[in-house]
Amino acid sequence: MKTLKQILVVIVVVVFCSCAKQKVFTEKDIQIIPKPAELKLSEGAFEFSEATKFVVADDFQKEISNVLISKFEKASGWKPQITNAVPNSNYVQFTQDDTLKDEAYQLTVNNDNITIAAKDHAGFLYGLETVRQLLPVAIESNDVALNTEWVIPSLTIKDQPRFQYRGLMLDLSRHFFNSDYIRKTIDRLSMLKMNVLHLHLVDDQGWRIEIKKYPKLTDVGAWRVDQENKPWNARSTNSPCEKGTYGGYLTQDQLKELVKYAQLKNVEIIPEIEMPAHVSSAVAAYPELSCFNKSIGVPSGGVWPITDIYCAGKDSTFKFLEDVLDEVMTIFPSKYIHIGGDEATKINWKTCPHCQKRIKTEGLKNEEELQSYFVKRIEKYINSKGKKLIGWDEILEGGLAPEATVMSWRGTVGGIEAAEQGHDVIMTPGTHCYFDHYQGPQNEEPLAIGGYTPISKVYEFDPVVDSMTPEEAKHVLGGQANLWAEYIPTTKQSEYMIFPRLAAMSEALWSPKESRDWNDFSSRLETMFKRYEYLGINYAKSMYLITSKVRMDLNKKAVYVSLKNEFPNTDIRYVLGNKNLKESAIKYKDPIELKETTIVKASLFKNDIPVGKVFTDTIKFHKAIGDKVEYVTPYNDKYKGAETFGMVNAIRGTKNFHDGQWQAWLVDDMGVIIDLEEEQTIEQVTVGSVENQGSGIYFPTGIKVYVSEDGATYKEVGNVERPFEINPTVELKDFKIDFKPIRAKFVKVIAKNLKTTPSGGDAWLFVDEILVN
Ligand code: TNX
């Protein structure tokens, strides 16, 4: 006979359980990124509680369970326990299933328990990461989240990766990032089931790995003169005598710790030791590594072309590299060593007696083949230690090393060629994988290197190219996002560029191709944003930004403004003039027609509430719209803008000087004559310009305005002067020249070019519009 107390307990438990399980889940509630290969929702749910046990069979399972348990401890206030024995109910269990593929897992959730079946550590880890993403986002909270039910739906998931290589590259050289940040990045990779962290440890601007046999690599090579106040590509050359103070490096102990940590997260760290170019930092430390033993300082910014490279003739260079690689291989157990190989300008090799001798004795045709010899010799060494070599696609030039894996960055062509030759390939084309590119409209984004790779573009990435045969496609191991760090001085900026684009990359590399669906992904992403917020990740909200396209109809003298953003079926609403967006916004459908100077304000709305940043643009009409423009000095062929009417079409250029709106002059001054068609009273001329010193583009140093009634005799009516100033940003500016009202039919504007940049190069002058009023 049961006692009354026992019966009561049973009733309470039943009532309690059935309450918790009242939540009915639909597919929409499941917001996992990357999307699992197969998912079947069933009725019911599992609720985590203080009594939930994690049943583990080994230390790895214990360690990964503890990570989730500590999240419960913080977010729920209670701590599930670990056990080796399977309880009657309410548990999470790991079960071995050797029939599953590498990294695959099967997750079964029912009212009573959860099982994660896998063959390997990775599978167990990913099963648990999926459980984490099934839980309410508050599981990421550092404070107790009250009123949260820790319930996940009953379901079966059968999941496995499409590609075995799913990577992210961090460039630690252009700006240094410490262990702490790398550790966080490893966590974030594994949350997205990414399994490679490629560390770019060597480049011109800093050597970032301790090598005990060559201490100067870090004593000297890890530090540069601080010129962070100047644009990357306008930094001056440092003398070897000047001591560097800006930089840093990772010790071997720190790197070993990271490797160990990454193993727990199924992330393989692949070190990249660049050669033969991108090594100014090493040459600064040991000048004898270069052809002519040239003493140089560690560069503080852009170096182009890269000529201070390793000598390929001296045997001592190879001795040095073998010593370095020996130490590298004791730190990193990875199957691969990346040796760079990109962007070597081989002019020193052409005149270096050692290199020329090598070309002769090895029977090589030219310097390209000498690079190929270099890489093959290093590959032999790496292979002899049981490792494989990866190089950037330049290693194809002059003949590929026999076992090499190619990382294709200049598009997919190199990858295709390597696969045709039967080599393995990792695809990282700049178009889809370069996270140093802009992800939103350039005017709204923090300074970046250039390019435009919004998250929707990353999401389209497919490492397998249509033209490949099935045999070639098998050689495609996967893909990788690269975050080059010339323009990434802080961890905040690094996070901003990586997230949320990494989520798109992870789905492109993990999920079956057939399940790719931008609408679905972008809605799941909003849940991921909430996770990022709890985790303190400075993710970009660029996909909320509105971009505009402006078109001019010269006959109607009307401008048409179209608006869009990256979310599908977006509800964009706008107002014209000074109206309030919240109160008066109208839904955007077709391009907005404007015939006079107007302010356009727009925002994305969600559930009738404006979200994201408000878009504002003023379309300025003026007296010269659509008028004939004659060029005193012709614009440069590379930047024609909108040709003849470009200067007077009311369409403004953006900070992206390739946007097709800019006309440019190299060294020459700008000189134009506008024919107003009939005599008019005018009192102001405005010249729109952009400055991007890193790209050699400078504001005019002065502007003069002349007017004429007959087009023959001109009279100067106004001018401005503007001396050169260092400017680390990209800036748009309207230069206004006011004068006493005057009647005129012709307006001549001369803008002075800086002509010579501070570092002695040719200066560009860019103009998008001349407004006459
Ligand atoms: C090219 S990608 C490089 C890097 C730069 C990057 C900037 C590659 C192998 N080389 O050195 O940082 O462009 O986007």
Side-chain angles (χ1 to χ4, degrees):
M1 273 292 284
K2 279 188 174 139
T3 65
L4 189 62
K5 202 172 152 202
Q6 277 174 323
I7 293 171
L8 263 177
V9 168
V10 170
I11 292 174
V12 167
V13 168
V14 167
V15 168
F16 178 78
C17 293
S18 54
C19 283
K21 281 159 201 164
Q22 263 168 12
K23 180 164 166 65
V24 178
F25 288 91
T26 65
E27 297 244 343
K28 264 202 141 340
D29 296 313
I30 297 170
Q31 308 256 300
I32 302 161
I33 297 177
K35 198 179 177 81
E38 264 181 67
L39 184 149
K40 257 200 213 101
L41 201 57
S42 40
E43 245 173 67
F46 177 88
E47 177 169 28
F48 282 87
S49 69
E50 195 161 10
T52 304
K53 297 255 180 338
F54 283 76
V55 189
V56 303
D58 62 30
D59 282 349
F60 180 82
Q61 292 169 5
K62 188 171 163 185
E63 276 195 71
I64 59 173
S65 298
N66 272 327
V67 176
L68 188 58
I69 288 172
S70 71
K71 284 188 178 289
F72 273 113
E73 229 185 322
K74 285 191 238 160
S76 72
W78 36 258
K79 186 176 177 183
Q81 298 297 313
I82 292 200
T83 174
N84 298 117
V86 185
N88 287 337
S89 65
N90 195 4
Y91 58 89
V92 180
Q93 189 187 9
F94 300 92
T95 60
Q96 189 71 29
D97 183 345
D98 291 330
T99 65
L100 293 176
K101 295 208 172 116
D102 292 352
E103 300 186 292
Y105 67 94
Q106 267 188 35
L107 172 69
T108 316
V109 180
N110 58 48
N111 293 8
D112 184 70
N113 60 58
I114 296 176
T115 45
I116 299 170
K119 182 181 73 180
D120 52 20
H121 282 177
F124 292 125
L125 173 76
Y126 291 157
L128 211 53
E129 288 290 354
T130 293
V131 170
R132 171 186 178 186
Q133 286 200 37
L134 286 166
L135 279 160
V137 288
I139 190 67
E140 314 296 344
S141 173
N142 282 325
D143 307 309
V144 173
L146 299 169
N147 307 321
T148 307
E149 288 182 346
W150 305 102
V151 181
I152 68 174
S154 291
L155 48 69
T156 324
I157 288 178
K158 293 184 182 168
D159 204 7
Q160 64 188 52
R162 179 172 167 217
F163 293 102
Q164 68 182 75
Y165 186 112
R166 306 177 301 279
L168 168 72
M169 187 210 74
L170 287 184
D171 169 8
L172 304 189
S173 174
R174 273 54 178 273
H175 285 95
F176 177 61
F177 295 90
N178 66 19
S179 274
D180 250 14
Y181 181 65
I182 298 169
R183 187 182 301 258
K184 279 190 194 159
T185 307
I186 293 168
D187 286 338
R188 294 158 184 181
L189 282 168
S190 90
M191 175 161 86
L192 292 167
K193 303 185 174 79
M194 304 277 287
N195 63 0
V196 175
L197 176 63
H198 162 181
L199 291 181
H200 186 74
L201 293 162
V202 173
D203 214 304
D204 297 305
Q205 297 83 4
W207 183 285
R208 305 295 180 212
I209 170 174
E210 175 193 26
I211 299 295
K212 300 207 164 131
K213 197 158 186 182
Y214 300 97
K216 282 201 276 179
L217 286 173
T218 42
D219 288 350
V220 175
W223 306 96
R224 65 188 189 226
V225 176
D226 188 345
Q227 296 193 45
E228 293 297 301
N229 65 329
K230 292 192 206 150
W232 179 261
N233 282 325
R235 295 180 186 173
S236 52
T237 309
N238 300 319
S239 103
C241 321
E242 246 177 312
K243 197 173 158 46
T245 55
Y246 185 89
Y249 65 95
L250 295 164
T251 64
Q252 298 200 352
D253 285 343
Q254 285 173 323
L255 286 163
K256 283 180 188 160
E257 284 285 308
L258 285 170
V259 166
K260 209 166 118 205
Y261 187 71
Q263 277 165 346
L264 182 67
K265 302 280 176 180
N266 192 44
V267 171
E268 177 158 75
I269 302 186
I270 297 181
E272 181 184 351
I273 307 296
E274 271 269 22
M275 61 188 81
H278 282 286
V279 293
S280 304
S281 55
V283 172
Y286 297 100
E288 61 274 23
L289 293 169
S290 66
C291 289
F292 303 108
N293 304 350
K294 183 176 155 199
S295 284
I296 58 169
V298 178
S300 295
V303 182
W304 198 261
I306 304 170
T307 54
D308 292 318
I309 67 177
Y310 291 146
C311 175
K314 298 180 211 169
D315 277 329
S316 53
T317 307
F318 293 96
K319 172 75 175 79
F320 164 82
L321 287 171
E322 287 172 12
D323 289 342
V324 168
L325 290 170
D326 281 346
E327 293 193 31
V328 168
M329 287 187 277
T330 62
I331 304 168
F332 299 96
S334 61
K335 175 166 143 200
Y336 293 104
I337 304 286
H338 198 309
I339 58 90
D342 57 315
E343 300 182 321
T345 297
K346 303 159 186 103
I347 53 167
N348 287 349
W349 289 4
K350 279 195 184 0
T351 52
C352 165
H354 307 286
C355 290
Q356 289 307 314
K357 189 171 159 217
R358 176 85 68 200
I359 287 178
K360 261 217 187 94
T361 53
E362 296 294 330
L364 307 170
K365 261 205 236 97
N366 50 26
E367 287 70 31
E368 300 309 317
E369 288 200 357
L370 183 56
Q371 157 136 346
S372 168
Y373 163 86
F374 195 116
V375 176
K376 282 179 186 154
R377 182 160 167 178
I378 294 293
E379 166 166 81
K380 220 171 173 184
Y381 190 72
I382 289 177
N383 289 167
S384 78
K385 305 282 167 181
K387 307 258 181 191
K388 294 189 68 155
L389 175 145
I390 305 180
W392 298 110
D393 55 55
E394 284 91 336
I395 66 168
L396 279 154
E397 294 158 13
L400 207 48
E403 306 283 325
T405 297
V406 170
M407 202 169 253
S408 186
W409 70 279
R410 295 174 301 175
T412 50
V413 189
I416 296 170
E417 199 182 320
E420 277 168 5
Q421 293 181 29
H423 285 253
D424 284 349
V425 171
I426 297 150
M427 288 291 195
T428 65
T431 47
H432 295 75
C433 301
Y434 270 38
F435 285 9
D436 54 339
H437 290 176
Y438 285 98
Q439 58 190 312
Q442 207 158 310
N443 284 4
E444 304 290 333
E445 289 287 328
L447 182 65
I449 199 165
Y452 179 53
T453 309
I455 184 167
S456 53
K457 183 99 189 236
V458 177
Y459 193 69
E460 285 167 15
F461 175 50
D462 191 344
V464 172
V465 180
D466 284 344
S467 65
M468 285 179 169
T469 65
E471 204 39 54
E472 286 159 13
K474 271 197 213 137
H475 282 293
V476 179
L477 305 180
Q480 175 173 291
N482 292 336
L483 185 61
W484 299 102
E486 289 93 331
Y487 291 80
I488 319 282
T490 62
T491 54
K492 272 198 112 177
Q493 185 58 14
S494 177
E495 291 179 343
Y496 182 88
M497 300 306 268
I498 296 174
F499 302 99
R501 286 187 285 191
L502 193 66
M505 180 57 74
S506 83
E507 191 149 310
L509 297 174
W510 176 280
S511 307
K513 195 175 175 186
E514 311 78 66
S515 74
R516 218 178 290 192
D517 177 341
W518 170 248
N519 289 9
D520 175 54
F521 171 78
S522 56
S523 73
R524 274 180 286 128
L525 199 53
E526 294 199 71
T527 303
M528 189 55 86
F529 285 174
K530 291 188 195 132
R531 253 170 236 282
Y532 288 163
E533 262 150 48
Y534 275 116
L535 294 169
I537 299 176
N538 181 40
Y539 69 98
K541 300 173 184 76
S542 311
M543 55 184 309
Y544 290 109
L545 290 173
I546 292 170
T547 51
S548 70
K549 254 218 170 85
V550 183
R551 189 176 63 79
M552 171 93 197
D553 185 326
L554 281 171
N555 294 326
K556 290 192 190 159
K557 291 213 170 171
V559 158
Y560 296 86
V561 183
S562 48
L563 304 172
K564 67 168 179 114
N565 84 348
E566 283 202 85
F567 281 103
N569 315 315
T570 31
D571 180 7
I572 293 176
R573 303 184 197 179
Y574 71 96
V575 291
L576 300 180
N578 282 321
K579 284 198 200 112
N580 185 301
L581 247 181
K582 269 191 206 137
E583 289 156 14
S584 327
I586 26 183
K587 194 165 163 67
Y588 170 81
K589 276 201 214 82
D590 301 313
I592 310 160
E593 185 188 77
L594 301 175
K595 290 194 159 167
E596 58 186 20
T597 297
T598 313
I599 303 172
V600 182
K601 278 186 281 184
S603 177
L604 176 67
F605 279 67
K606 288 225 156 148
N607 307 320
D608 290 325
I609 296 165
V611 289
K613 201 170 162 188
V614 173
F615 164 93
T616 317
D617 193 16
T618 306
I619 305 294
K620 289 183 186 142
F621 281 71
H622 53 91
K623 290 185 171 154
I625 293 269
D627 289 347
K628 222 174 90 204
V629 179
E630 192 191 310
Y631 291 84
V632 181
T633 40
Y635 48 81
N636 191 283
D637 252 10
K638 281 198 193 148
Y639 301 99
K640 298 179 178 180
E643 307 246 16
T644 319
F645 295 103
M647 294 280 196
V648 288
N649 63 1
I651 306 175
R652 305 305 306 269
T654 64
K655 286 183 182 173
N656 170 11
F657 62 89
H658 293 296
D659 69 8
Q661 296 307 327
W662 294 98
Q663 296 188 336
W665 287 262
L666 186 60
V667 186
D668 288 337
D669 294 337
M670 177 207 79
V672 298
I673 296 169
I674 301 169
D675 180 350
L676 297 173
E677 284 165 14
E678 57 195 42
E679 213 177 271
Q680 302 193 41
T681 305
I682 61 170
E683 57 185 1
Q684 186 190 59
V685 166
T686 305
V687 176
S689 186
V690 65
E691 186 160 74
N692 180 339
Q693 297 186 353
S695 300
I697 302 168
Y698 292 81
F699 281 144
T701 55
I703 298 171
K704 282 194 170 143
V705 178
Y706 307 81
V707 299
S708 166
E709 286 170 10
D710 56 8
T713 45
Y714 281 89
K715 173 173 145 195
E716 183 180 331
V717 288
N719 75 80
V720 290
E721 293 290 322
R722 187 185 178 279
F724 161 77
E725 279 168 32
I726 290 184
N727 182 359
T729 65
V730 174
E731 195 181 332
L732 296 167
K733 208 184 186 94
D734 278 351
F735 292 90
K736 288 198 169 81
I737 302 100
D738 292 300
F739 42 88
K740 270 208 216 103
I742 189 164
R743 300 284 294 167
K745 183 166 179 292
F746 298 93
V747 183
K748 177 153 90 181
V749 186
I750 307 289
K752 274 198 281 176
N753 191 319
L754 178 67
K755 297 196 188 292
T756 309
T757 71
S759 51
D762 291 345
W764 286 98
L765 168 67
F766 274 59
V767 177
D768 66 335
E769 183 90 358
I770 296 176
L771 300 89
V772 180
N773 280 304

